[in-house]
Amino acid sequence: MGEFVRVDVENGVATIRLDRPKMNAINAQMQGEIAEAALQVSADDDIRAAVIYGGEKVFAAGADIKEMAEMSYAVMSAHSRRLQGFTKALAAIPKPVIAAITGYALGGGLEVALAADFRVVGEGARLGQPEIQLGIIPGAGGTQRLARLVGPARAKDLVFSGRHVKADEALAMGLVDRVVPDADVYAEALKLAERYKNGPAMALSAAKQAIDSGLDVDLDTGLEIERLQFSALFATEDQKTGMTSFLEQGPGKAGFIGH
Ligand code: DAK
């Protein structure tokens, strides 16, 4: 449990709660706490899915500009090498992860959301990579994960301009997956996460890794990653359960145990 980030677990679903008033500005300590939370969620077999939530008012307005403003190249160079890992640690959680976004998700805040598998946003949400207005570029995955998600031209539009995108435009460009009333964001994200909590955990993890790793390599290498992940699932009890259940009772009735 960190000062600005906590992990609450209920019925197999973890909530990684960002809590640094007023704007959840992500300072270096909070970056470390996000990485620790991600490792905790990854390691705990009782956690089957996760929601990242910044509270009712704001998801996160980015890295802490007050902390960054006076950093030199030498300091930022060392700092970025040490800390770039916080969004990587989130993206590496081998379970379904949903970002629940109300209010602003800007800069490093959007980069946290981009490290999730799905994004549920409130109607009043505003998303963007405004770093260009500070004379810098996104530094925690924004140039890479955003371009992979929405394509290079849309990513360049957002990164070159720094403009904020409203929920409906974000949905249209594939930046987010679902728009709901602001008051329903967290409940909707939890509902989505709960779909996976009784699923075949190893198959879900294999699917996530095959898709994510496959996007970073050529097709043949991606197909090889898929082949290896696919074959490995035949060492799990859930594969036996899933297929036996289908043969005996038809589709969708298997009770998986998660290994
Ligand atoms: N950092 C520090 N303080 C912030 C902040 C931020 N990102 N965003 C807001 N605040 C503070 C404001 O200074 C203000 O403080 P007080 O004056 O009350 O003390 C308070 O929060 C309320 O903000 P506003 O008065 O501005 O509220 P408004 O509703 O008018 O506007 C806003 C809200 C979110 C639109 C606006 O505050 C804003 O534009 N904020 C900055 C957004 C931004 O530029 N974000 C990108 C930051 S750069 C890396 C890791 C991470 C990153 C890079 C590298 N490595 C590990 C390598 C990420 C970089 C970034 O995210």
Side-chain angles (χ1 to χ4, degrees):
M1 176 93 68
E3 184 181 357
F4 304 128
V5 181
R6 61 176 190 272
V7 178
D8 302 318
V9 185
E10 212 177 311
N11 295 324
V13 176
T15 297
I16 300 175
R17 176 71 158 85
L18 313 178
D19 190 9
R20 184 166 184 255
K22 312 167 184 164
M23 287 283 166
N24 285 333
I26 307 168
N27 65 0
Q29 179 184 332
M30 191 169 169
Q31 291 170 24
E33 290 181 12
I34 291 172
E36 274 170 32
L39 292 178
Q40 181 189 333
V41 169
S42 294
D44 186 340
D45 288 341
D46 294 334
I47 297 174
R48 307 291 287 274
V51 171
I52 311 173
Y53 182 48
E56 288 170 10
K57 295 211 160 52
V58 65
F59 185 73
D64 189 334
I65 300 169
K66 287 165 196 153
E67 183 184 68
M68 276 191 302
E70 296 305 325
M71 284 188 187
S72 64
Y73 164 69
V75 170
M76 181 45 97
S77 179
H79 177 70
S80 62
R81 196 163 294 129
R82 204 173 54 243
L83 289 173
Q84 201 184 33
F86 81 101
T87 50
K88 266 195 192 172
L90 283 174
I93 295 173
K95 311 171 186 193
V97 177
I98 296 127
I101 301 168
T102 40
Y104 292 108
L106 301 175
L110 181 54
E111 289 169 313
V112 164
L114 287 168
D117 300 305
F118 308 106
R119 283 147 291 281
V120 174
V121 304
E123 287 163 346
R126 298 283 185 279
L127 297 86
Q129 297 286 175
E131 290 88 341
I132 207 80
Q133 292 163 4
L134 301 167
I136 58 170
I137 65 171
T143 63
Q144 302 304 305
R145 293 198 181 92
L146 182 62
R148 281 165 174 74
L149 187 64
V150 302
R154 290 192 183 102
K156 286 173 185 167
D157 167 31
L158 296 188
V159 172
F160 289 3
S161 70
R163 72 187 178 87
H164 296 177
V165 171
K166 291 184 182 169
D168 51 354
E169 186 185 354
L171 183 66
M173 70 166 70
L175 176 55
V176 306
D177 305 283
R178 195 167 296 187
V179 179
V180 299
D182 288 331
D184 298 345
V185 165
Y186 182 55
E188 193 67 26
L190 274 182
K191 210 187 323 167
L192 202 53
E194 276 164 9
R195 275 193 200 169
Y196 302 109
K197 73 178 188 198
N198 296 318
M202 296 195 79
L204 286 164
S205 161
K208 178 165 174 167
Q209 209 212 324
I211 291 169
D212 287 345
S213 303
L215 285 171
D216 295 335
V217 296
D218 62 279
L219 179 61
D220 274 349
T221 310
L223 289 169
E224 186 59 10
I225 292 171
E226 180 187 80
R227 188 182 72 76
L228 293 171
Q229 291 281 10
F230 174 80
S231 310
L233 293 171
F234 284 74
T236 66
E237 209 167 315
D238 281 344
Q239 175 268 329
K240 308 281 177 261
T241 308
M243 293 194 180
T244 307
S245 168
F246 172 81
L247 293 172
E248 289 172 0
Q249 307 169 67
K253 302 205 174 61
F256 294 114
I257 56 171
H259 56 84

